[in-house]
Amino acid sequence: MKAFEVVTEAINPQVYADFVLRPEAGAVTLFTGHVREWTKGVRTLHLSYEAYVPMAEKKLAQIGQEIEQRWEGTKVAIAHRIGELQISDIAVVIAVSSPHRKTAYEANEYAIERIKEIVPIWKKEIWEDGEQWIGDQKKKPKGGLA
């Protein structure tokens, strides 16, 4: 595994938690983002993620660097899955260790917000009666990426 990666297989969160764990860490926060079935009354059948993988991994690493500069003593690992994901599958995992819990929580929340802002990963929701690219992912380049 890499500290910052885009993957096509199921994510094992414990691998990332173990990666950031170290003797000086008093806290490890682990966030997993899952595919949910219902959003605003609409039933999702599954999601499809695409990414420009080399740039996505660079941007994930950038987020890790931002966190380590902003919150001293942190260590970060982030993975995002692409491809077709079913209900309850893990789409993203963020693991942050730090000497104290407040820092770990703050850094973890920062990471998920930055992922949405700067990482070139696009999400399509597939419903019972249609499909749509969601959020900033609407800016997805034509032709698809993997």
Side-chain angles (χ1 to χ4, degrees), residues 60-86:
L60 293 174
Q62 175 187 324
I63 293 166
Q65 292 170 349
E66 290 172 5
I67 289 169
E68 290 170 3
Q69 289 172 357
R70 186 169 175 175
W71 289 280
E72 188 177 337
T74 56
K75 184 174 181 180
V76 183
I78 305 171
H80 202 297
R81 187 172 169 195
I82 58 172
E84 188 171 303
L85 279 70
Q86 302 304 314

Side-chain angles (χ1 to χ4, degrees), residues 36-117:
R36 66 176 169 259
E37 184 174 12
W38 293 92
T39 303
K40 298 179 183 174
V42 177
R43 183 170 180 243
T44 301
L45 299 178
H46 64 273
L47 298 180
S48 178
Y49 285 95
E50 293 185 18
Y52 175 38
V53 175
M55 182 58 73
E57 291 184 338
K58 285 180 184 176
K59 291 296 186 179
L60 293 174
Q62 175 187 324
I63 293 166
Q65 292 170 349
E66 290 172 5
I67 289 169
E68 290 170 3
Q69 289 172 357
R70 186 169 175 175
W71 289 280
E72 188 177 337
T74 56
K75 184 174 181 180
V76 183
I78 305 171
H80 202 297
R81 187 172 169 195
I82 58 172
E84 188 171 303
L85 279 70
Q86 302 304 314
I87 303 303
S88 298
D89 283 352
I90 297 172
V92 61
V93 62
I94 303 164
V96 178
S97 68
S98 70
H100 305 284
R101 69 178 175 267
K102 183 177 182 184
T103 300
Y105 278 117
E106 289 173 352
N108 206 299
E109 183 175 13
Y110 177 86
I112 192 64
E113 296 306 324
R114 287 294 282 157
I115 288 168
K116 293 176 183 181
E117 290 174 0

